[in-house]
Amino acid sequence: MDWHTHEVFNQYSELTDYDLLAADPALREALQRGDAGWAEEGLGRYARQLGQAETFQLAQDANRHTPELHSFDNRGRRIDFVEFHPAWHRLMAMYRAEGLISLPFRDQRAGRWSAWAAGFYLHSQVEQGTMCPATMTQASIPLLQKENALWQQLGAKLYSDAYDPRDVPAADKQSIWVGMGMTEKQGGSDVRANTTVATPVGSGGRGGEYLLRGHKWFFSAPMCDAHLVVARTGEGGPFACFYVPRWRPDGSKNAVNVQRLKDKVGNRSNSSSEVEFQDAWGVLMGEEGRGIPTIIEMATYTRLNCVAGSAAILRQATVQAIHYARQRQAFGRRLAEQPLMRTVLADLALESEAALALLMRLARAFENDSVPAERAWSRMMTPAAKFWVCKRGVELTGEAMEVLGGNGYVLDGIQGRLFLEAPVNSIWEGSGNVMCLDVLRAFAREPEAAQALLAELAPVAQGEPRIAAALRQLVVLLQLPPAELEPLGRILAQQLVLVAQACLLRQHAPAAVADAFIATRLGDAGTGGRVVGAIDTRGLDVAAILERALPA
């Protein structure tokens, strides 16, 4: 007997088969502002490929069928091989083929950083785990370019747009991936607590051979062809940075033994591991005693990627929430027609566009880092942006998931994965407190650059009393003695980002968006302690905000 209990109606799938770039006027405008109009055609093609239902399914498969560690082969030989689902390799190959990994360093055209940021932002809306090895590989390039011997061996492979997944020595590959190893059990963000020791083979020194003994508590991603690793040169000695390949020059597997893969909350498609160095072979990069500054230079780039990744998660979560609310009916009306839901959606849309505006401004600063004012954006605003945008991503993905109700809470769909993915960007490359302390140190170290940054914001604040008042509060904070300012680090970073976002939106966004952001983030409305959607939309053009976020 065929049972018939009900009809399926008023149920709507999440948005796929759409053009991620065409649906994002704010991103298209940012590309033009950033001198990257030349990249729009290629990015548009990639955006259409990313938006296909098939690509979203690849992301689903890569995160459902997680990496598996094979420590030994079938004859007991140590291999430490991580097996990935074919969907992972498809996604990795897609991104590599776009040339985005090396674009900021290989291409000298104006707008290259804006083009890169847009490509990273588009890909990260669909799948985020693949961006971990992409991020580290990109950030390794400027460090390796300073090591002539290594660069001669690796430069063409880092610039290559071909995807080569083979587990063979780098010399035999078309392209390579580079990871990083900083974190140890006892230290976490406190890299100075690390105990891994590197012993020279022969005279040592820059470009010399060393053997590393110790461990790394987080080692991402272990199937990379090499890692940049921080270790002490001798027991209790100064820190240095080492290039540690997966294979030794003689073709044998290097003694980087993977103990296990991390069972993470999100970022499931990507492999993160714990490893032991049992006299692993490596090459000293830079000078002894400069290991931490060297790896922090790499982290400056990866922190920008964290901002891009979180901005992308915010964007996709907002798009999916608006799309669903425009179709789903409850209590006789579509959700998107109901005033309180419209307030929530507008709040999501404002946060998403503000995050994108800040990301694209930072990308321009990285392109012009030799200019003092631009350097202030890249060195001071980047850790502040990482703190704030990544924190907002954690909160707002939860709210966006709630728009879909129970449908958002299951892992069959996109929203649940975005929610689980969001915290990693806030934690990786320095947690919130570390970012705020870095902001304080940057202001103290380069007061002239700080003044240049504030001076750039001041003219935009003229005529808008709420921005001007917030900027004055920021200046007052910065005048406090260090001992008083440190406990207020989060307030300072938050205020810095909100003022910057308000200024950027006032300069570049439609009045409906800029006015709403200023009204709801600055002045009496504030941001402290409120939940998403707890804003006063009277006098705001909610319809215009939602139409800009996702054109109907």
Side-chain angles (χ1 to χ4, degrees):
M1 175 180 179
D2 291 332
W3 287 90
H4 181 77
T5 62
H6 67 287
E7 299 286 346
V8 177
F9 67 97
N10 198 28
Q11 285 283 354
Y12 301 95
S13 299
E14 289 161 302
L15 179 62
T16 60
D17 288 324
Y18 77 106
D19 185 331
L20 276 68
L21 184 58
D24 195 343
L27 179 57
R28 297 199 307 275
E29 292 165 13
L31 283 169
Q32 295 300 322
R33 272 197 317 273
D35 298 321
W38 54 266
E40 191 165 343
E41 181 179 352
L43 288 169
R45 177 192 49 74
Y46 192 42
R48 291 186 290 275
Q49 182 184 12
L50 288 166
Q52 294 173 1
E54 178 189 2
T55 309
F56 277 98
Q57 187 59 51
L58 289 174
Q60 181 77 359
D61 291 344
N63 283 274
R64 184 176 295 280
H65 304 285
T66 56
E68 296 182 20
L69 172 63
H70 302 280
S71 299
F72 302 92
D73 68 8
N74 60 1
R75 291 297 180 267
R77 291 178 286 258
R78 183 112 201 184
I79 56 173
D80 291 307
F81 178 78
V82 181
E83 179 183 3
F84 292 88
H85 189 270
W88 166 270
H89 294 293
R90 288 272 305 277
L91 291 162
M92 291 278 279
M94 282 172 55
Y95 189 76
R96 188 105 203 193
E98 295 302 311
L100 293 163
I101 288 173
S102 60
L103 173 63
F105 307 106
R106 178 181 61 185
D107 197 320
Q108 293 306 306
R109 278 179 292 183
R112 59 190 180 277
W113 274 97
S114 294
W116 161 80
F120 191 100
Y121 177 77
L122 290 166
H123 186 106
S124 296
Q125 289 181 48
V126 180
E127 209 289 313
Q128 298 80 37
T130 42
M131 306 315 283
C132 177
T135 287
M136 295 184 296
T137 302
Q138 174 197 332
S140 74
I141 290 175
L143 275 68
L144 288 165
Q145 284 176 330
K146 298 176 182 178
E147 308 300 320
N148 292 334
L150 284 173
W151 186 250
Q152 290 300 315
Q153 300 172 37
L154 306 174
K157 301 174 191 299
L158 288 165
Y159 279 178
S160 173
D161 298 337
Y163 178 59
D164 190 341
R166 294 176 299 157
D167 185 21
V168 296
D172 300 330
K173 298 188 69 171
Q174 289 180 280
S175 64
I176 60 171
W177 302 90
V178 179
M180 62 194 305
M182 289 195 293
T183 306
E184 297 185 5
K185 294 184 179 74
Q186 70 283 350
S189 295
D190 183 8
V191 181
R192 297 185 186 280
N194 284 6
T195 60
T196 296
V197 172
T199 303
V201 178
S203 60
R206 186 169 191 166
E209 300 179 35
Y210 286 74
L211 298 180
L212 281 70
R213 184 175 297 184
H215 82 283
K216 294 297 172 184
W217 184 232
F218 277 90
F219 195 73
S220 296
M223 284 309 295
C224 286
D225 299 285
H227 288 77
L228 304 189
V229 175
V230 174
R232 292 182 180 274
T233 50
E235 292 288 346
F239 291 100
C241 182
F242 297 88
Y243 172 84
V244 181
R246 180 165 168 78
W247 297 87
R248 292 173 181 263
D250 64 5
S252 63
K253 179 189 169 297
N254 206 358
V256 181
N257 292 348
V258 180
Q259 296 177 300
R260 64 171 176 169
L261 301 185
K262 297 288 193 182
D263 190 10
K264 297 169 292 184
V265 171
N267 205 243
R268 304 287 294 177
S269 65
N270 177 47
S271 62
S272 301
S273 64
E274 300 166 26
V275 301
E276 282 189 343
F277 304 125
Q278 298 181 359
D279 286 347
W281 184 89
V283 174
L284 175 62
M285 296 176 56
E287 305 297 335
E288 291 187 14
R290 297 291 300 167
I292 292 177
T294 298
I295 209 74
I296 289 300
E297 180 182 343
M298 184 177 182
T300 300
Y301 294 102
T302 56
R303 287 170 178 177
L304 177 64
N305 292 45
C306 289
V307 177
S310 288
I313 289 172
L314 275 170
R315 169 66 185 170
Q316 186 61 210
T318 299
V319 164
Q320 294 297 339
I322 294 173
H323 169 75
Y324 187 80
R326 284 175 175 168
Q327 301 174 91
R328 176 80 168 180
Q329 295 201 17
F331 309 111
R333 284 187 297 177
R334 288 186 176 88
L335 290 176
E337 296 170 349
Q338 300 187 22
L340 188 53
M341 178 59 77
R342 289 171 66 79
T343 301
V344 171
L345 296 174
D347 209 3
L348 290 170
L350 292 172
E351 197 71 40
S352 175
E353 180 156 352
L356 173 63
L358 183 56
L359 163 66
M360 299 305 285
R361 178 64 184 87
L362 290 174
R364 285 161 49 204
F366 271 70
E367 186 164 318
N368 300 290
D369 192 52
S370 59
V371 179
E374 296 298 296
R375 183 178 174 84
W377 277 90
S378 64
R379 298 306 167 99
M380 296 174 185
M381 194 66 76
T382 298
K386 182 187 179 302
F387 164 72
W388 183 248
V389 174
C390 296
K391 290 289 186 192
R392 298 299 282 161
V394 175
E395 179 183 355
L396 272 76
T397 50
E399 194 67 51
M401 183 169 62
E402 189 172 319
V403 173
L404 277 66
N407 289 334
Y409 193 63
V410 297
L411 286 176
D412 292 337
I414 297 164
Q415 293 288 57
R417 188 171 74 250
L418 294 173
F419 175 72
L420 293 176
E421 188 71 30
V424 70
N425 287 324
S426 192
I427 296 169
W428 189 51
E429 298 296 28
S431 59
N433 283 354
V434 172
M435 292 301 97
C436 294
L437 292 172
D438 277 359
V439 173
L440 294 177
R441 279 191 288 267
F443 271 97
R445 206 167 39 235
E446 300 184 56
E448 292 180 359
Q451 290 304 315
L453 174 61
L454 298 177
E456 181 178 330
L457 298 174
V460 188
Q462 290 180 0
E464 174 41 69
R466 289 164 295 192
I467 300 180
L471 188 56
R472 285 194 298 270
Q473 292 170 4
L474 189 59
V475 171
V476 170
L477 274 175
L478 289 169
Q479 292 172 346
L480 292 174
E484 291 184 37
L485 186 55
E486 183 173 332
L488 306 176
R490 288 189 173 217
I491 294 176
L492 173 68
Q494 172 181 293
Q495 189 85 336
L496 179 62
V497 171
L498 290 175
V499 168
Q501 288 179 325
C503 288
L504 290 168
L505 292 178
R506 192 164 189 242
Q507 287 176 298
H508 306 303
V513 172
D515 292 346
F517 183 88
I518 294 165
T520 57
R521 269 65 176 174
L522 300 178
D524 294 336
T527 59
R530 71 168 179 83
V531 297
V532 180
I535 59 174
D536 186 350
T537 57
R538 292 174 294 180
L540 305 183
D541 192 344
V542 172
I545 294 168
L546 296 180
E547 178 63 21
R548 178 168 170 83
L550 183 62

